[in-house]
Amino acid sequence: MSKKITQLQTATDITASDFIQVVDIEDGGMAPSGTNKKISAQILGNYLPVISTGSTTSRSLKDRFADTVNVKDFGAKGDGVTDDTAAIQAAIDNRYSLRGGTVFLPVGKYLITQIIVPQRVVLVGEASAFVNQYSNLTNAPQGSVLFQKAGTNADAVIVRIRAINNAGTLQEEGIGGNITDVRHCGGLRNIIVWGNRSQNANPENVNLNSSGNGISVQGSRYVILESVIAAYCANNGVVCISYNYGNGDISCNNQMFSKVTAISNGQNGFSISGGDSSFSQLQAGYNAGSGFLITFGASSFTGCYAWNNFANGFYFLGSPSVGNTIFTGCFAYDNTSNGFKIGDSGYITLNGCNSYTNGRPNGGSVTPISTEKCNYRVTSSAYGVSIIGCKSNDLGAGSAYSDYGFYIDNSTNKILFDSNYSSGSNVNNYYIADTGKSFLHFLNPVGTEPSNSVHPGFLCSSMIKMGDNSISDYRYLSAIDGVASESSGVLSVSRSHVAFTPSGSLNITDISADNLGDALYPNVILRNASSLNTFTLVHGNSKIRCPGATNYAIAPFEAVLIRGVNNPPTIWQVVK
């Protein structure tokens, strides 16, 4: 309820601290006693003392408000109509001139062309959200939104060191001081960057902005992206690239991204290069390229997801000059091509990852070939690869999309393949092109569903190395496609993967084979299906040749690879 001044209660206990000394805004002099002076409301408000709850020290409102710069204090409207680029950049530049701090972006739709975030400045919103990536409307982004104007055709947000090159020495532009390391230590939080590529939901449509990334991190270290969304950008949602400040390219290292989503972008969700970085809880979905295109090294990805992308979920090209990159507990599903693809170089570990129902059509213009519809795909040029405790499953959606669970085309370099599980793929759950180049280790069970008329659970088109360099505890018999029989020491086989159940401790002195296909030197995987009895392959140069010229015993549930050394095969070599 409002009151007149004459209705207010008279103060009876007044001290000196209750008064503000007034300065004449015209002459700046102090007001002598008994002299009437005038003061503006603005100046009076600036110097009003305030005490924070729980504090005992007063500060002026001017100092208190300077703690956080608000873009609206610099003229930004956030109405989706006014071009707020200059106002937001002015707020950022002001905070940079004070050697860094927070710039606050309240909830609103801020129309921009391009803004640049320099070192030590963090642009912080209140929230980042979107309605539905499949049915875009202009109102789809919600929260604190940087909405790029149509026709901009450039990166919406650039995160980069503000520097000048003074005769080969980098210096902080405008504020002085040499830059000895490109440590940015700024970035974005709680903001959505909307690239406005199109009103059409399909990410291949780029009729409003035909080029430009959402967030471009350039030649900087220790950049912070947290609770950020990059959506509907013409190119990539988030990129990390090198930048030349005048002394050669500087890469993006030591990044710290968490809870970042890249969705419905015209190329990849994330396209990142560099190394020595930590990424957690990243999401990439419904992008026209891959969810993640990675040329990183010596980094970690934890709890990241890639789904419904028009190419691969995760496409790792690696970085041959730096160390191992580890993916832990990451998921890839419903992507048009592969879930995880490991490409031209390596040094990568997949640990406890899940990949399923990849090879699924999502509306893109490219249809992959069968060997590019895999839950896990390792190319022949990949090296330094370890796949441990990972799962491939195509039954969750009620129908299989992927043709292969694990497709390991490792004919060039060795990999480590340990304790993985696969089921439900259309062609093969496991396809390993040359396991002579692999270190294979399967737990009990090997992890493939019982074989059926469609495909065997495990397929190898060439040598399987046994013993220390091969399959350990390979006990599950689902992939067997034949049964061997024995008579008078002669073992008869008619398939390339057979089980034999000895009735006692038998000695095998000869092997008879047929129906093994057209291979010049056929391979046969021979398993002991007995839980009690051991059988022995007896060494003899004219029939069976064993390593070390000594008899080879096959214990219960163990397997061995034998190879014909002539054609048709009458002499067999035991391959360890």
Side-chain angles (χ1 to χ4, degrees):
M1 181 177 64
S2 61
K3 289 186 178 182
K4 297 179 180 179
I5 293 180
T6 55
Q7 294 176 311
L8 298 176
Q9 184 177 353
T10 303
T12 57
D13 186 13
I14 300 176
T15 64
S17 62
D18 295 315
F19 293 89
I20 301 174
Q21 192 166 25
V22 176
V23 179
D24 191 326
I25 61 172
E26 293 179 353
D27 59 25
M30 302 303 294
S33 177
T35 303
N36 292 326
K37 287 289 184 177
K38 54 189 175 181
I39 186 171
S40 70
Q42 177 181 346
I43 292 179
L44 179 61
N46 282 345
Y47 291 95
L48 282 175
V50 294
I51 300 176
S52 178
T53 301
S55 173
T56 58
T57 303
S58 66
R59 300 171 64 200
S60 69
L61 281 178
K62 180 180 180 181
D63 290 341
R64 183 65 183 276
F65 279 123
D67 290 344
T68 300
V69 172
N70 190 316
V71 297
K72 291 194 171 182
D73 293 335
F74 289 78
K77 301 298 182 183
D79 57 10
V81 177
T82 305
D83 187 338
D84 288 324
T85 305
I88 295 173
Q89 193 63 60
I92 291 172
D93 294 348
N94 173 268
R95 182 49 76 188
Y96 167 75
S97 71
L98 300 174
R99 295 193 175 274
T102 298
V103 175
F104 181 55
L105 190 76
V107 167
K109 183 178 178 181
Y110 298 87
L111 201 62
I112 65 163
T113 52
Q114 182 182 85
I115 63 171
I116 301 176
V117 180
Q119 59 269 37
R120 299 183 299 277
V121 175
V122 183
L123 187 59
V124 178
E126 291 186 274
S128 57
F130 57 90
V131 175
N132 189 332
Q133 73 275 12
Y134 300 113
S135 57
N136 175 37
L137 300 172
T138 303
N139 298 329
Q142 297 180 346
S144 300
V145 183
L146 297 175
F147 194 100
Q148 193 170 46
K149 292 176 64 175
T152 300
N153 298 320
D155 296 342
V157 178
I158 294 176
V159 182
R160 186 175 66 213
I161 299 291
R162 183 170 294 178
I164 58 173
N165 192 313
N166 185 2
T169 300
L170 290 183
Q171 297 179 330
E172 299 211 44
E173 181 181 340
I175 59 177
N178 292 343
I179 299 174
T180 58
D181 191 357
V182 289
R183 296 183 178 180
H184 191 283
C185 300
L188 290 82
R189 286 193 176 103
N190 301 325
I191 287 173
I192 180 167
V193 178
W194 195 267
N196 194 27
R197 56 167 178 75
S198 177
Q199 288 274 332
N200 192 305
N202 189 311
E204 294 181 339
N205 285 278
V206 289
N207 59 299
L208 296 181
N209 277 304
S210 59
S211 63
N213 302 297
I215 302 170
S216 180
V217 180
Q218 302 178 0
S220 300
R221 300 172 64 187
Y222 299 102
V223 171
I224 301 168
L225 294 183
E226 182 179 345
S227 299
V228 172
I229 298 172
Y232 273 76
C233 304
N235 294 145
N236 305 283
V238 179
V239 298
C240 294
I241 59 175
S242 298
Y243 186 79
N244 190 343
Y245 293 95
N247 296 333
D249 286 346
I250 295 178
S251 61
C252 285
N253 293 340
N254 306 104
Q255 308 304 338
M256 300 171 289
F257 297 176
S258 176
K259 302 175 184 177
V260 181
T261 298
I263 192 167
S264 198
N265 298 292
Q267 293 181 2
N268 306 294
F270 295 85
S271 179
I272 47 183
S273 62
D276 302 318
S277 298
S278 173
F279 304 99
S280 64
Q281 296 175 275
L282 308 186
Q283 296 259 352
Y286 201 58
N287 298 288
S290 294
F292 295 81
L293 179 63
I294 303 165
T295 53
F296 247 67
S299 299
S300 65
F301 290 78
T302 304
C304 299
Y305 284 70
W307 41 269
N308 290 103
N309 297 289
F310 286 13
N312 306 287
F314 296 84
Y315 187 10
F316 180 79
L317 294 174
S319 183
S321 61
V322 294
N324 190 39
T325 293
I326 302 174
F327 291 77
T328 303
C330 295
F331 286 72
Y333 55 91
D334 293 346
N335 299 287
T336 300
S337 192
N338 307 288
F340 291 86
K341 182 175 181 179
I342 302 172
D344 295 337
S345 60
Y347 294 120
I348 176 176
T349 297
L350 302 183
N351 187 7
C353 295
N354 285 268
S355 187
Y356 50 91
T357 58
N358 295 290
R360 177 174 186 166
N362 285 296
S365 58
V366 177
T367 300
I369 61 176
S370 177
T371 54
E372 291 292 337
K373 296 167 65 176
C374 312
N375 287 328
Y376 299 86
R377 173 81 161 87
V378 182
T379 70
S380 60
S381 55
Y383 56 88
V385 178
S386 299
I387 303 177
I388 304 170
C390 294
K391 184 176 181 179
S392 166
N393 190 336
D394 261 82
L395 301 180
S399 60
Y401 290 105
S402 70
D403 284 346
Y404 296 89
F406 293 88
Y407 190 99
I408 314 297
D409 183 14
N410 58 315
S411 58
T412 305
N413 301 292
K414 293 182 178 180
I415 71 166
L416 173 64
F417 191 82
D418 192 347
S419 309
N420 301 297
Y421 178 99
S422 182
S423 68
S425 299
N426 288 322
V427 180
N428 291 113
N429 288 323
Y430 300 91
Y431 181 93
I432 300 182
D434 185 355
T435 53
K437 295 293 185 180
S438 300
F439 295 92
L440 300 177
H441 176 206
F442 293 87
L443 292 183
N444 180 23
V446 70
T448 170
E449 295 296 322
S451 61
N452 53 46
S453 60
V454 178
H455 66 275
F458 187 88
L459 172 65
C460 297
S461 61
S462 63
M463 184 177 66
I464 299 176
K465 294 190 72 175
M466 304 302 295
D468 293 339
N469 296 331
S470 69
I471 300 172
S472 172
D473 286 336
Y474 190 30
R475 301 179 181 179
Y476 201 60
L477 306 181
S478 64
I480 291 172
D481 56 7
V483 177
S485 61
E486 180 271 341
S487 177
S488 301
V490 179
L491 187 69
S492 298
V493 298
S494 58
R495 292 289 188 273
S496 60
H497 197 171
V498 296
F500 174 55
T501 306
S503 58
S505 297
L506 298 177
N507 289 330
I508 303 299
T509 58
D510 194 3
I511 296 174
S512 172
D514 58 19
N515 197 29
L516 296 182
D518 298 327
L520 184 61
Y521 303 111
N523 296 320
V524 173
I525 302 173
L526 179 61
R527 302 179 187 233
N528 187 344
S530 172
S531 61
L532 299 174
N533 300 315
T534 296
F535 68 94
T536 301
L537 300 178
V538 179
H539 175 74
N541 286 329
S542 64
K543 298 293 184 180
I544 301 174
R545 298 175 182 176
C546 300
T550 59
N551 297 343
Y552 191 90
I554 304 173
F557 296 126
E558 289 188 348
V560 67
L561 177 74
I562 59 176
R563 171 176 292 168
V565 298
N566 57 349
N567 191 34
T570 60
I571 304 174
W572 294 86
Q573 175 69 49
V574 176
V575 182
K576 293 186 66 175

